Amino acid sequence: MSRAVLIVEQAGALTTVQNGGRRGLLRYGVPASGPMDRAAFAIANAAIGNPPGSAAIEVSPGGLVLRCIEGAVGFALVGGGFSAAIDGRALNGWSAAMLTPGARLTIRAGEWGSWACLALAGALAAPLWLGSRATHAASGLGGGMIVAGARIEIEDAAPRENRLGPIAPFPEEQGAMRLVLGPQDRFFSPETIAALLTGTFRVTPACDRMGYRLKGPALPVAALLDMPSEALPRGAVQVAGHGDPTVLLADHQTTGGYPKIATLISADQDRFAQLRPGDPLTFHAIDADAAVALARKRHTALTRHIEMLAKGPVPLSERLARTNLVGGVVDALHP
Amino acid sequence: MTTIGPSFPRLRAVGDSGLLVEFGDRIDKAVHNRLLAFDAALQADPFIGFTEAVPAYASILVGYDPLLTEPSAVEAHVARLLDHCGTVDVPHRLHELAVCYDREFAPDLPALAERAGLSVETAIAAHLAGDYRVFLYGFAPGYAYLGGVPEAIRLPRKAEPVRDVPAGSLIVAGPQCIVTTLTMPTGWWIIGRSPTPILRAQAERPFLFDVGDRVRFRRIDRAEYERLAP
């Protein structure tokens, strides 16, 4: 059994261990947690050849610097526009590479995106809490926070040489974020609903794993409100007294007493989580059936993408050929 | 948005993974009993694609996997259960929870008593006299909202939250109290501490209470607290 050991030299705030999430405990006040960008997490594990749902490291906008002190371990870095370098040699976007003793991996947030997933080939050693290694960041319970000075051990570490190389990006939808109105849209005037669906919002710095507060047109609650607390799902668009909406994410509170004007659809939650403070966004309302159809469509596309990755990285010659087929460009090597 | 009958229960879509079943619009034991009966019926007869249900004061969120089912199928199943589950009183457990009102554990007890126009001892007696019901969990893992704080000591939350309130603290605001499970900020009145953890991650049953359980408090002194505390 081989082992790899990494030392954390620098870690941005909210760098955590995450797995597929902690299910079935919402009724006890425990959110699922898990990755902010679930597609990036699934792709990273698939690309490096780990079983689905394996614990991985979620990298925050503050970046991450690791030094390998033992073993040889492959890794995949996926998510947003994050960039990485090994001993100063830049890797190209989403990619899988290998760390050997003495090597330093530097991960930085790039042009866009708030979260990247670093999946290490093997089993990341991290504590279980309530049956899962997902980290609830507000309490630090679960796999745990990754902080400078920490030691990360990977059991059954493997180089996975056949996996190393660039990782094809997963194309996300562009444009307006889709919502299903409700369950408390009736507490808002038609003008306020129109403001939600036509205005431009921006992500404020009040954003973490629990949710992102937005700033845009004010969304005043019309009805005099005395609402008993009720369950809140991931994606809930909650409007507190200040009139600014907050979209709840992985570590959301499980119940709350503020009205929810809408719910962000599942298919758009990953790309929403990748927004940064200051990024603009708009909303578009669809019904629950249309949202279900989009969830299925995206799942199918993601499954195909992962099946393609499971075959291993595509050789450069084949990638050039594919680009040519798509782009209609003559193969430079064989004009 | 689907409505069954003129008032309650009502069904409302929550995105593409949830259906909110509303049994009322206020905190009420009869409403909560109906919700618990439905919760029990759903656990006994779940539909394909059911994920989990989250009970609260007057509603329950029924979660589903959109890859396995769709809103109309979930609504039909829920409507059928609602027709049959009625308001049978669901079995519940009664817990006796030890609490120590020692000054050091209860920094807000004198102020709460003063605001309520009571002596500290009378305020403690009022808290001990309450019959509490676990209405829901929320805020943080294992935070069980116990309704039933007697009228005499109901106060709105404090103006400013306090940071780093220790786990096990007994906190009250309005008609509710909570025994906390984590070191967290709170704006509620801190009036005691319990040696009994509500959340024991390693236990076979990690959460002491289920929603619907009843709770009574038993006063212990500091010596007994120290003996019982983990």
Side-chain angles (χ1 to χ4, degrees):
Chain A
M1 292 293 170
S2 52
R3 183 179 75 154
V5 180
L6 311 174
I7 299 296
V8 181
E9 294 191 334
Q10 283 175 43
L14 295 180
T15 306
T16 57
V17 174
Q18 297 296 341
N19 71 359
R22 186 176 283 107
R23 305 284 160 179
L25 298 176
L26 289 171
R27 64 168 53 226
Y28 299 109
V30 186
S33 297
M36 291 289 276
D37 182 341
R38 291 177 279 198
F41 171 83
I43 290 168
N45 268 326
I48 201 61
N50 282 345
S54 298
I57 296 172
E58 183 171 87
V59 185
S60 76
L64 182 65
V65 180
L66 301 173
R67 193 162 52 85
C68 180
I69 60 166
E70 185 185 323
V73 61
F75 69 86
L77 180 74
V78 172
F82 280 64
S83 63
I86 297 176
D87 295 330
R89 278 177 294 107
L91 303 174
N92 212 355
W94 293 14
S95 49
M98 182 171 57
L99 290 174
T100 50
R104 178 177 283 112
L105 171 65
T106 306
I107 302 172
R108 297 273 173 248
E111 301 273 298
W112 67 280
S114 284
W115 309 97
C117 180
L118 175 68
L120 295 146
L124 181 66
L128 279 168
W129 181 65
L130 295 172
S132 164
R133 292 186 170 83
T135 304
H136 176 255
S139 65
L141 292 167
M145 312 297 291
I146 300 289
V147 295
R151 181 186 163 95
I152 297 169
E153 294 192 8
I154 300 101
E155 286 149 15
D156 301 329
R160 305 250 170 92
E161 273 113 338
N162 61 337
R163 295 273 164 190
L164 310 185
I167 299 169
F170 178 61
E172 287 279 12
E173 293 274 339
Q174 304 292 318
M177 297 283 168
R178 277 77 54 96
L179 305 166
V180 177
L181 288 175
Q184 278 93 35
D185 50 317
R186 66 192 183 283
F187 292 155
F188 298 86
S189 71
E191 292 74 27
T192 302
I193 299 292
L196 173 71
L197 300 178
T198 57
T200 297
F201 292 82
R202 284 180 193 277
V203 178
T204 71
C207 57
D208 59 21
R209 285 183 44 87
M210 291 177 75
Y212 295 179
R213 190 192 286 186
L214 308 179
K215 193 75 191 171
L219 304 175
V221 177
L224 185 64
L225 196 67
D226 185 21
M227 188 190 122
S229 283
E230 68 179 31
L232 292 173
R234 183 170 179 156
V237 184
Q238 171 180 279
V239 184
H242 43 60
D244 293 329
T246 297
V247 180
L248 300 180
L249 296 168
D251 286 353
H252 65 90
Q253 293 189 359
T254 57
T255 56
Y258 295 116
K260 278 83 69 188
I261 193 168
T263 310
L264 181 66
I265 69 169
S266 307
D268 286 347
Q269 289 176 11
D270 286 349
R271 68 183 176 108
F272 177 86
Q274 290 292 6
L275 295 174
R276 288 182 178 177
D279 282 350
L281 68 149
T282 58
F283 291 115
H284 174 67
I286 61 175
D287 66 22
D289 290 310
V292 165
L294 287 170
R296 292 175 180 179
K297 183 177 160 208
R298 183 168 184 269
H299 177 79
T300 303
L302 184 58
T303 303
R304 282 211 195 101
H305 195 80
I306 284 171
E307 283 167 0
M308 188 257 293
L309 292 175
K311 293 175 187 148
V314 180
L316 182 64
S317 56
E318 200 175 318
R319 261 186 293 134
L320 285 171
R322 279 190 198 173
T323 308
N324 290 348
L325 284 173
V326 174
V329 178
V330 177
D331 189 334
L333 300 174
H334 303 93
Chain B
M1 184 167 66
T2 310
T3 303
I4 296 184
S7 55
F8 296 104
R10 276 199 296 245
L11 309 185
R12 298 186 192 278
V14 180
D16 51 50
S17 310
L19 182 69
L20 185 69
V21 187
E22 296 178 338
F23 292 85
D25 52 12
R26 63 184 64 85
I27 300 174
D28 179 289
K29 285 180 185 171
V31 168
H32 202 244
N33 284 342
R34 277 212 74 183
L35 172 166
L36 292 173
F38 171 75
D39 186 35
L42 178 60
Q43 305 297 333
D45 181 13
F47 53 88
I48 292 166
F50 171 66
T51 52
E52 57 189 303
V54 193
Y57 284 114
S59 65
I60 184 161
L61 180 63
V62 178
Y64 63 88
D65 181 343
L67 304 180
L68 298 177
T69 186
E70 56 260 324
S72 58
V74 177
E75 285 179 22
H77 187 92
V78 164
R80 191 169 58 73
L81 289 178
L82 286 170
D83 282 345
H84 295 99
C85 67
T87 56
V88 287
D89 198 14
V90 171
H92 57 263
R93 289 173 300 155
L94 173 67
H95 306 266
E96 192 185 67
L97 206 60
V99 60
C100 176
Y101 299 93
D102 187 275
R103 184 71 189 260
E104 190 193 331
F105 293 156
D108 295 331
L109 188 52
L112 174 128
E114 193 188 334
R115 286 269 204 105
L118 303 171
S119 68
V120 164
E121 280 303 315
T122 317
I124 291 171
H127 182 258
L128 286 167
D131 271 316
Y132 298 89
R133 168 194 287 250
V134 181
F135 274 103
L136 74 161
Y137 279 84
F139 182 68
Y143 275 51
Y145 283 67
L146 309 179
V149 172
E151 202 77 57
I153 54 167
R154 285 185 193 175
L155 293 180
R157 65 177 64 192
K158 298 186 291 181
E160 290 292 330
V162 181
R163 295 174 66 96
D164 297 334
V165 176
S169 293
L170 169 63
I171 59 176
V172 298
Q176 304 165 113
C177 65
I178 293 175
V179 175
T180 68
T181 58
L182 300 169
T183 300
M184 282 274 174
T186 183
W188 292 25
W189 305 81
I190 306 158
I191 66 162
R193 199 175 298 172
S194 174
T196 310
I198 311 301
L199 167 50
R200 300 150 300 164
Q202 304 308 321
E204 197 175 325
R205 286 182 73 114
F207 299 90
L208 186 61
F209 309 135
D210 278 316
V211 171
D213 283 357
R214 313 293 202 265
V215 179
R216 292 197 62 96
F217 288 95
R218 175 173 69 87
R219 186 178 189 175
I220 57 172
D221 61 16
R222 182 65 182 257
E224 190 171 358
Y225 175 88
E226 300 298 348
R227 199 165 50 74
L228 295 175

